[in-house]
Amino acid sequence: MQGPRQIPPGRRGFRTRQLDGLSRVRPEAGEVPPLPRAQRVSRVRTPSRGEETPLPIRRETPTHWIYLHGFGSDPMSPKAQFFNQQFRAAGLPIVVPDLNVPSFEQLTITACLAEVERVISGFPSEAKVGIVGSSLGGLIALFAADRCKNVSYVMLLAPALGLFRVNFVGLGKPGVRAWEKNGFLEVFHSPSNRNRRLSADFVADARQYDERNLRLSIPVTIVHGQRDDIVDPHLSITYARAHHNVKLHLVDDDHSLLASITQIWEWLRMDTRPRPNRDNASAH
């Protein structure tokens, strides 16, 4: 199988490219634009290579869902609308929170996590929660699953792993230092279709979140495009190899994953379909 090509850090600037990789034209509310299909799909299953004893995987079918959009995006993004419509059509409750909290300029991962925890606390106490997270929303989904024990499944779409271990998505160490010195950075904000300020508080806050320190006992599925020029797909490959509960799909797609969205939905439904009780099955 042909593996994804290595993408040099810094190939695309953080200033000039929206991290969620989505179209700058927002569709009308309730509409999902036509989505092409990816031509080639490769699937990778990766066993654990870590030194720690793996935790038993806890498999429970989610009854409630959350979709977490990416950086510089909002709940009206094409992927957010797609999953919102699909889950509702399937009769499954879903919430798509706005993660630009407390505002885009003052955005922090800590504030995003607090918002996700608030949403989960509003579900019934017996609810099993599934999370779909895109890009930065994927990183947030992992930490939300670690904090909220009723989360039973996570799907990560081109997750922004290694946020500050890999030159901050092309910004580089000098760029990060300049960001901290100036106190803010001008970045593209897709919903408003213009550059907006982002406080350097985002930098200081994000450094405390290292997904390598998490040990989850629930199924995690990652989908990453081999042509992703925003987040290096090798970050997902490395993470999947180190965690026995992670299944990785590499697809012929870019960071947006819009060409693969129908296949992604099929994978999600297969992953979370109710499983027969083994005791009852053996009795027959």
Side-chain angles (χ1 to χ4, degrees):
M1 178 185 68
Q2 182 180 3
R5 58 187 174 85
Q6 179 67 41
I7 299 171
R11 177 181 172 186
R12 291 296 180 97
F14 182 69
R15 296 172 183 265
T16 59
R17 189 70 183 272
Q18 52 183 312
L19 289 192
D20 205 34
L22 303 179
S23 169
R24 298 187 181 186
V25 180
R26 290 174 57 180
E28 295 296 327
E31 293 184 358
V32 175
L35 302 173
R37 293 184 65 88
Q39 295 180 350
R40 292 183 290 112
V41 176
S42 56
R43 183 173 181 174
V44 176
R45 288 182 177 270
T46 52
S48 172
R49 297 183 183 178
E51 296 181 356
E52 294 182 344
T53 302
L55 298 173
I57 299 179
R58 173 171 55 88
R59 301 185 184 276
E60 298 173 303
T61 302
T63 59
H64 293 67
W65 287 88
I66 302 175
Y67 178 85
L68 304 180
H69 64 75
F71 178 88
S73 186
D74 73 353
M76 293 298 295
S77 73
K79 286 204 297 288
Q81 290 190 75
F82 175 84
F83 283 104
N84 187 30
Q85 291 186 9
Q86 293 296 322
F87 280 116
R88 291 186 182 280
L92 294 169
I94 181 172
V95 177
V96 184
D98 190 342
L99 297 183
N100 295 295
V101 287
S103 65
F104 181 74
E105 182 172 341
Q106 298 299 322
L107 175 69
T108 64
I109 292 178
T110 297
C112 291
L113 278 170
E115 177 64 12
V116 175
E117 290 181 274
R118 183 193 67 79
V119 171
I120 292 177
S121 68
F123 291 148
S125 58
E126 70 277 8
K128 301 302 178 184
V129 181
I131 305 178
V132 180
S134 173
S135 196
L136 180 62
L139 180 68
I140 294 168
L142 282 176
F143 284 93
D146 181 64
R147 294 186 177 194
C148 304
K149 301 309 177 184
N150 54 339
V151 174
S152 63
Y153 174 83
V154 173
M155 173 173 271
L156 314 178
L157 308 180
L161 306 177
L163 195 61
F164 277 99
R165 297 196 306 276
V166 195
N167 293 329
F168 193 64
V169 197
L171 190 60
K173 292 182 180 179
V176 173
R177 286 196 294 268
W179 184 0
E180 294 180 293
K181 180 179 179 180
N182 295 333
F184 67 90
L185 180 72
E186 291 283 337
V187 297
F188 183 76
H189 184 249
S190 179
S192 56
N193 198 30
R194 62 181 176 87
N195 285 347
R196 294 180 58 180
R197 287 166 37 124
L198 179 62
S199 170
D201 291 344
F202 183 87
V203 178
D205 179 77
R207 286 200 177 102
Q208 65 183 299
Y209 294 99
D210 187 338
E211 73 281 351
R212 296 174 300 179
N213 297 329
L214 301 177
R215 294 190 69 204
L216 299 177
S217 60
I218 61 173
V220 175
T221 296
I222 300 178
V223 183
H224 212 128
Q226 298 185 73
R227 295 183 283 106
D228 191 333
D229 58 3
I230 302 297
V231 178
D232 191 338
H234 279 85
L235 293 168
S236 289
I237 294 172
T238 301
Y239 185 81
R241 284 175 175 168
H243 296 83
H244 78 293
N245 62 318
V246 176
K247 177 167 56 178
L248 171 65
H249 298 281
L250 295 175
V251 297
D252 180 28
D253 208 342
D254 58 19
H255 185 67
S256 73
L257 293 173
L258 287 175
S260 310
I261 197 71
T262 302
Q263 178 64 74
I264 290 170
W265 172 251
E266 293 173 0
W267 280 329
L268 183 148
R269 295 295 282 160
M270 289 177 61
D271 287 346
T272 59
R273 66 185 185 276
R275 298 174 179 271
N277 185 294
R278 292 184 177 181
D279 293 336
N280 291 340
S282 60
H284 295 281

